[in-house]
């Protein structure tokens, strides 16, 4: 019997925790968190532990497929890899010939491995690379950019040394990043205070010292009032504000009318609680973290909300402070060379992006773009036609509002190519499915983990693929070879790794002992001294010039949130500990633990409506409606209902998930048009839904 341990990277969600896998006779037997990775200590979440169930599951694409019937009909011709790659390459070539590289769009799950697919997009001559950010974290990212001149990832949360953590719209113990979970648990054990602001009592709220149940959508009012108290009572860090905040007067004027009493009327949180929280924070400052949010594609003012969270941190002096939001050093800051980028194998594409980012919307940065605006371009043909779409490990039909409308829009495409390891609504519509090996059966490019101790890490293939599937780099190389993109036509993963690591002082096998190499031994706290931010003033900018030029205030006045009419509720959505978005609902093990989602509904409201716990109710918005089981609780705000995202799948190839639970996306009426003009993200929760007894 042969036995080995392979260090690799979990792929059950976008977080990508380091793992170690016991492999016996060439088959994965057991996965645990990487024991050598500080912060992980062998731990995995329930989804990470269900990787083997996914690996052994036959209900995933097993070989390349070319569509036979109509789009979405589910009739497929099995193809060889040569046939499928030839087919895809020919279609891309044709799109390029007829419309130029810009006629091709690519969307990708994003994250640390995205350099590969970005390089392919650039090689194809297209500016149209997209991440899933416009439905996820783009507002907080743009908030950071507008304040500091860098993205949200440059600030690491130093939970370990924090004295008070505030989680607002952030459920760390169920919407999981294993390292962060461990760090917050450790912090709580060493006496750090936790305040949670949510519309419902989550597992995270259950561990909090203070839980503020807020009226859905009114968080920005709360934050303005917190700033009001900090400034009025002179509880803020004056020297930090003087040195670092550009536009303090403007901020002062903005928050002047926002008294705790005013905020109480909006948020439902007693004024005294607001004052007490501000006072507590001032006491613990600067070792304070007010989390600016992760999934921030919720409201019209989500960008302002994230900005206000950062500004609270600034007033408390916690930006750059130990125990606060510390600056994560780049490899260069540590005197090291960063990874060589695959993207740089090709010249930058000068063409304007189809979503208008960087041109029509000069305040936003290229990078992952705004996919919903590319869909708009698909609809209007403006600024130019998009004719080929590669969805790479991304399920836009499962993760965007109005999937029916989007499906119709896809009709105007000459080709939809889907690269995926699991079935998805998008793959079901594809002209060709290029099946990706599961993360345990493939290797990935080297990636950088940002943080206080940045590291390079590597996903290794733990076992050979069970089916006729390929790794991302093999698919990229296969397409590149056919499309004349020589620099990307790598033959082995080692060639890629050598290219990426050249000059860094590491070889790929130096990453094998632990699965990663840290670029420094000591977590450093560079602080703010000597720093000049990449903003016009060199400081944190309350008002950003780029937004002002577009006529968009950087911090709008608070716009009151309407009350839902009788029988209606504000739709709130999120994740649960047992599933990852839409792609684990058919996992045999996770499905067994949680086969469907339920609708959280306030108990008192339900009893007035004659609804009992466990009843199936009708939930409707506009034309859309469905049935879902209710879970009654006193711990959700009476104006809100909540459901876990990702359920209600309809694909015949997913026997377990099919027809189970309800899809939240169906309820987001006109949702592709609802987005935060200031931050760019979709406003998925600007939606009331009706709930009726069956
Ligand atoms: N209505 C509504 N929409 C939402 C949300 C919501 O709460 N409600 N949440 C938003 C958020 S936060 C996000 S991040 C997006 C997510 O949106 P997506 O990124 O589209 O969602 P996933 O289900 O993660 O889709 C990833 C796709 O890649 C495939 N895949 C292939 N290989 C892998 C792998 O190794 N790992 C992973 N992870 N996937 C693989 C999966 O089969 C799946 O089809 O959705 C957003 N959209
Ligand atoms: N288990 C698990 N973990 C994951 C993922 C997963 O799919 N499953 N996905 C990963 C990804 S892609 C992301 S983006 C992150 C998301 O991480 P989070 O952003 O923390 O997760 P969510 O569950 O979307 O939302 C957090 C909380 O916001 C609350 N909320 C909703 N509306 C409001 C409101 O108006 N005000 C306030 N104060 N709270 C509100 C919800 O009740 C929910 O508890 O999780 C990551 N980790
Ligand atoms: S949080 Fe869980 S599912 Fe996500 S990468 Fe980490 S172990 Fe895997
Ligand atoms: Mo996300």
């Amino acid at each position: 019997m042969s036995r080995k341990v392979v260090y690799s990277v979990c792929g059950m969600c976008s977080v990508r925790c380091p793992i170690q896998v016991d492999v016996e006779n060439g088959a994965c037997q057991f996965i645990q968190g990487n024991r050598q990775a500080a912060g992980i200590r062998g731990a995995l979440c329930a989804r990470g532990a269900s990787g083997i169930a996914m690996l052994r599951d036959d209900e995933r694409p097993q070989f390349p497929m070319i569509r036979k019937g109509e789009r979405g009909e589910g009739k497929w011709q099995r193809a060889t890899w040569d046939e499928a790659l030839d087919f895809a390459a020919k279609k891309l070539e044709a799109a390029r010939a007829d419309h130029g590289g810009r006629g091709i769009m690519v969307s990708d799950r994003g994250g640390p491995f995205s350099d590969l697919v970005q390089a392919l997009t650039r090689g194809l001559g297209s500016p149209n690379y997209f991440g899933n950010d416009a439905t996820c974290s783009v507002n907080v990212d743009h908030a950071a950019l507008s304040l500091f001149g860098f993205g949200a990832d440059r600030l690491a949360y130093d939970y370990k040394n924090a004295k008070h953590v505030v989680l607002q719209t952030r459920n760390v113990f169920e919407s999981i990043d294993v390292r962060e979970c461990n760090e917050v648990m450790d912090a709580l054990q060493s006496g750090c205070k936790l305040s949670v602001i949510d519309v419902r009592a989550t597992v995270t709220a259950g561990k909090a010292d203070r839980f503020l149940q807020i009226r859905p959508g009114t968080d920005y009012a709360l934050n303005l009032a917190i700033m009001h108290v900090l400034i009025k009572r002179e509880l803020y860090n004056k020297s930090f504000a003087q040195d670092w905040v550009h536009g303090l007067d403007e901020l002062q004027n903005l928050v002047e009318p926002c008294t705790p009493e005013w905020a109480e009327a909006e948020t439902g949180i007693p004024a005294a609680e607001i004052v007490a929280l501000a006072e507590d924070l001032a006491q613990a400052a600067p070792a304070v973290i007010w989390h600016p949010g992760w999934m921030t594609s919720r409201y019209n003012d989500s960008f302002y909300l994230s900005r206000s969270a950062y500004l609270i941190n600034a007033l408390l002096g916690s930006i750059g402070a130990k125990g606060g939001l510390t600056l994560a050093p780049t490899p260069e800051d540590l005197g090291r060379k960063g990874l060589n980028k695959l993207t740089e194998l090709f010249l930058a594409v000068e063409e304007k992006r189809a979503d208008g980012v960087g041109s029509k919307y000069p305040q936003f940065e290229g990078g992952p773009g705004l996919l919903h605006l590319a869909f708009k371009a698909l609809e209007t043909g403006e600024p130019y036609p998009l004719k080929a779409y590669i969805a790479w490990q991304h399920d836009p039909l499962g993760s965007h509002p109005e999937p029916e409308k989007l499906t119709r829009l896809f009709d105007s495409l000459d080709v939809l190519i889907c690269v995926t390891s699991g079935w998805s609504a998008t793959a079901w519509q594809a002209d060709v499915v290029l099946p990706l090996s599961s993360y345990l059966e493939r290797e990935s490019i080297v990636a950088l983990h940002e943080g206080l101790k940045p590291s390079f890490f590597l996903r290794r293939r733990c076992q050979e693929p069970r089916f006729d599937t390929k790794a991302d780099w093999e698919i990229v190389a296969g397409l590149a070879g056919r499309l004349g993109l020589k620099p990307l036509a790598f033959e082995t993963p080692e060639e890629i790794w050598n290219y990426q690591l050249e000059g860094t002082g590491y070889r790929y096998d130096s990453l094998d002992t632990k699965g990663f190499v840290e670029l420094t031994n000591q977590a450093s706290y560079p602080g703010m001294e000597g720093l000049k931010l990449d903003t016009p003033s060199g400081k944190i900018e309350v008002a950003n010039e780029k937004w002002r030029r577009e006529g968009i205030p950087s911090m709008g006045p608070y716009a009151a949130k309407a009350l839902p009419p009788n029988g209606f509720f504000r739709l709130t959505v999120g994740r649960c500990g047992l599933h990852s978005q839409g792609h684990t609902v058919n996992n045999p093990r996770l499905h067994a633990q949680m086969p469907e989602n339920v609708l959280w509904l306030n108990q008192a409201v339900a009893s007035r409506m004659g609804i009992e716990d466990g009843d199936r109710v009708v939930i409707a918005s506009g034309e859309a409606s469905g049935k879902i089981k209710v879970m009654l609780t006193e711990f959700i705000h009476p104006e809100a209902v909540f459901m876990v995202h990702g359920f209600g799948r309809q694909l015949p190839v997913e026997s377990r998930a099919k027809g189970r639970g309800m899809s939240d996306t169906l309820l987001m009426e006109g949702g592709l048009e609802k987005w935060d003009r200031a931050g760019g993200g979709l406003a998925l929760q600007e939606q009331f839904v009706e709930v009726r007894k069956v």
Side-chain angles (χ1 to χ4, degrees):
M1 177 143 99
S2 82
R3 274 206 183 128
K4 59 176 178 177
V5 172
V6 182
Y7 292 103
S8 195
V9 181
C10 182
M12 293 297 284
C13 88
S14 49
V15 170
R16 291 154 178 121
C17 298
I19 56 173
Q20 59 186 72
V21 182
D22 293 343
V23 181
E24 281 177 23
N25 296 328
C28 297
Q29 296 298 344
F30 183 68
I31 313 176
Q32 57 185 311
N34 187 330
R35 298 207 157 265
Q36 305 204 54
I40 292 285
R41 303 191 296 252
L44 271 189
C45 78
R47 301 160 299 141
S50 305
I52 288 177
M54 182 274 304
L55 174 70
R56 295 183 183 162
D57 186 11
D58 291 349
E59 291 192 1
R60 52 183 171 114
Q62 298 183 6
F63 39 76
M65 276 165 279
I66 297 175
R67 174 168 67 84
K68 253 193 351 194
E70 294 297 305
R71 275 207 185 127
E73 215 185 348
K75 290 193 184 146
W76 303 99
Q77 173 79 48
R78 179 174 181 164
T80 64
W81 272 100
D82 273 337
E83 286 163 352
L85 289 170
D86 284 347
F87 177 92
K90 273 205 188 99
K91 294 279 188 185
L92 291 171
E93 197 54 76
R96 214 163 42 161
D98 295 346
H99 305 278
R102 67 183 193 178
I104 301 171
M105 62 182 283
V106 180
S107 74
D108 167 25
R109 199 157 193 340
F113 300 119
S114 63
D115 186 28
L116 183 69
V117 178
Q118 289 194 49
L120 176 68
T121 314
R122 209 192 244 202
L124 286 166
S126 173
N128 294 315
Y129 169 84
F130 301 90
N132 65 12
D133 304 51
T135 54
C136 180
S137 55
V138 77
N139 282 327
V140 62
D141 228 21
H142 281 156
L145 187 72
S146 68
L147 286 157
F148 311 112
F150 52 64
D153 283 348
R154 268 310 299 282
L155 291 172
Y157 308 114
D158 186 22
Y159 294 113
K160 197 171 153 224
N161 297 299
K163 292 193 188 140
H164 196 146
V165 171
V166 180
L167 298 173
Q168 180 172 38
T169 329
R170 184 71 193 88
N171 187 4
V172 289
F173 295 127
E174 292 176 278
S175 305
I176 297 171
D177 168 332
V178 170
R179 268 196 195 92
E180 187 180 48
C181 257
N182 282 339
E183 284 168 4
V184 178
M185 285 300 279
D186 287 352
L188 297 184
Q189 257 157 24
S190 19
C192 172
K193 268 197 171 179
L194 178 65
S195 296
V196 169
I197 306 161
D198 203 302
V199 297
R200 65 192 179 110
T202 57
V203 170
T204 310
K207 298 192 190 301
D209 299 277
R210 179 190 270 116
F211 170 49
L212 304 179
Q213 189 175 81
I214 194 162
R215 216 189 123 212
T218 65
D219 294 76
Y220 184 41
L222 171 69
N223 291 14
L224 291 170
I226 292 279
M227 290 194 278
H228 173 101
V229 177
L230 291 176
I231 292 175
K232 265 274 142 95
R233 304 197 180 200
E234 302 199 9
L235 294 170
Y236 69 105
N237 185 325
K238 282 185 198 134
S239 72
F240 186 92
Q242 225 135 52
D243 292 348
W244 285 104
V245 181
H246 181 74
L248 192 61
D249 295 352
E250 214 168 312
L251 186 62
Q252 218 158 346
N253 291 340
L254 178 74
V255 303
E256 175 68 36
C258 306
T259 62
E261 293 70 25
W262 164 82
E264 173 173 344
E266 265 307 305
T267 63
I269 294 170
E273 286 275 339
I274 298 173
V275 174
L277 176 58
E279 281 174 343
D280 271 10
L281 291 173
Q283 275 230 311
V288 170
I289 297 170
W290 186 300
H291 201 295
W294 186 349
M295 198 298 198
T296 45
S297 294
R298 297 187 194 269
Y299 299 109
N300 289 334
D301 60 3
S302 288
F303 170 78
Y304 296 150
L305 177 64
S306 290
R307 282 191 114 243
S308 66
Y310 279 127
L311 283 169
I312 292 173
N313 288 300
L315 289 176
L316 293 165
S318 68
I319 306 281
K322 193 168 177 174
L325 284 75
T326 50
L327 290 161
T330 61
E332 290 75 15
D333 292 338
L334 298 167
R336 313 293 306 236
K337 183 175 181 320
L339 295 172
N340 301 302
K341 290 196 145 199
L342 292 161
T343 333
E344 282 165 12
L345 290 167
F346 301 97
L347 290 176
V349 178
E350 297 299 331
E351 189 69 57
K352 283 183 184 153
R353 297 177 56 97
D355 57 2
V357 165
S359 52
K360 187 172 175 192
Y361 306 106
Q363 71 275 30
F364 301 145
E365 281 215 335
L370 298 173
L371 185 56
H372 54 102
L373 296 182
F375 291 146
K376 190 79 200 165
L378 198 58
E379 185 178 358
T380 59
E382 296 293 333
Y384 49 77
L386 294 164
K387 285 296 172 184
Y389 181 9
I390 313 178
W392 200 291
Q393 279 199 71
H394 185 214
D395 181 16
L397 291 178
S399 56
H400 283 72
E402 304 188 272
E404 281 182 22
K405 176 178 171 182
L406 266 184
T407 307
R408 286 198 309 278
L409 285 182
F410 289 175
D411 283 343
S412 68
L413 291 167
D414 291 341
V415 66
L416 173 60
I417 299 166
C418 205
V419 181
T420 184
S421 61
W423 278 110
S424 68
T426 309
W428 201 244
Q429 292 292 329
D431 300 309
V432 54
V433 176
L434 302 175
L436 191 63
S437 303
S438 76
Y439 70 95
L440 294 166
E441 304 164 304
R442 68 175 194 255
E443 52 287 287
S444 300
I445 61 173
V446 184
L448 171 72
H449 176 77
E450 291 162 311
L452 288 175
K453 280 184 175 182
S455 58
F456 294 148
F457 66 102
L458 184 57
R459 171 183 283 146
R460 277 290 197 171
R461 191 181 287 229
C462 300
Q463 71 164 64
E464 286 308 311
R466 287 185 55 222
F467 304 119
D468 188 17
T469 58
K470 285 193 190 291
D472 327 47
W473 71 268
E474 293 175 294
I475 300 176
V476 167
L479 289 172
R482 286 167 171 80
L483 290 160
L485 311 178
K486 255 219 180 113
L488 264 183
F490 290 102
E491 287 187 1
T492 63
E494 289 78 10
E495 277 177 44
I496 306 181
W497 299 334
N498 286 338
Y499 165 81
Q500 291 184 284
L501 288 167
E502 202 193 324
T504 61
Y506 298 107
R507 284 168 46 96
Y508 65 84
D509 40 14
S510 14
L511 279 71
D512 273 344
T513 351
K514 298 194 293 186
F516 61 91
V517 279
E518 284 173 334
L519 306 187
T520 171
N521 299 325
Q522 190 80 50
S524 57
Y525 298 91
M528 301 290 278
E529 262 124 81
L531 195 72
K532 190 173 178 303
L533 294 176
D534 189 14
T535 56
S537 63
K539 296 184 178 189
I540 301 168
E541 307 228 308
V542 172
N544 185 299
E545 186 52 26
K546 281 191 188 158
W547 269 257
R548 200 186 55 76
R549 261 187 260 132
E550 297 309 301
I552 300 170
S554 298
M555 295 282 279
Y558 174 76
K561 283 277 184 294
L563 274 174
N566 214 357
F568 284 75
F569 299 85
R570 182 172 295 279
L571 179 64
T572 67
V573 298
R575 275 123 281 285
C576 63
L578 286 168
H579 284 290
S580 296
Q581 312 293 358
H583 69 88
T584 57
V585 284
N586 200 50
N587 178 295
R589 210 163 132 180
L590 295 168
H591 167 84
Q593 305 227 7
M594 182 175 172
E596 62 181 8
N597 56 351
V598 295
L599 188 73
W600 288 51
L601 180 66
N602 182 279
Q603 197 149 29
V605 175
S607 72
R608 285 200 295 277
M609 296 171 76
I611 294 170
E612 285 181 35
D613 193 37
D615 279 358
R616 283 200 176 266
V617 295
V618 174
I619 182 164
S621 87
E623 306 276 281
S625 74
K627 288 194 188 128
I628 184 169
K629 200 196 274 184
V630 288
M631 186 196 87
L632 300 188
T633 167
E634 60 192 289
F635 299 113
I636 181 164
H637 193 279
E639 276 176 43
V641 286
F642 171 85
M643 62 202 282
V644 169
H645 169 64
F647 284 87
R649 312 259 289 193
Q650 298 299 343
L651 304 180
V653 276
E654 295 184 325
S655 66
R656 294 169 288 264
K658 182 171 185 286
R660 302 301 297 271
M662 168 83 197
S663 159
D664 60 340
T665 56
L666 294 179
L667 299 165
M668 293 165 177
E669 213 187 331
L672 285 172
E673 301 288 339
K674 294 180 189 169
W675 57 284
D676 180 340
R677 294 303 192 268
L682 281 171
L684 300 176
Q685 295 187 176
E686 291 291 350
Q687 181 68 49
F688 292 145
V689 290
E690 189 182 10
V691 175
R692 292 192 300 264
K693 223 173 122 91
V694 172

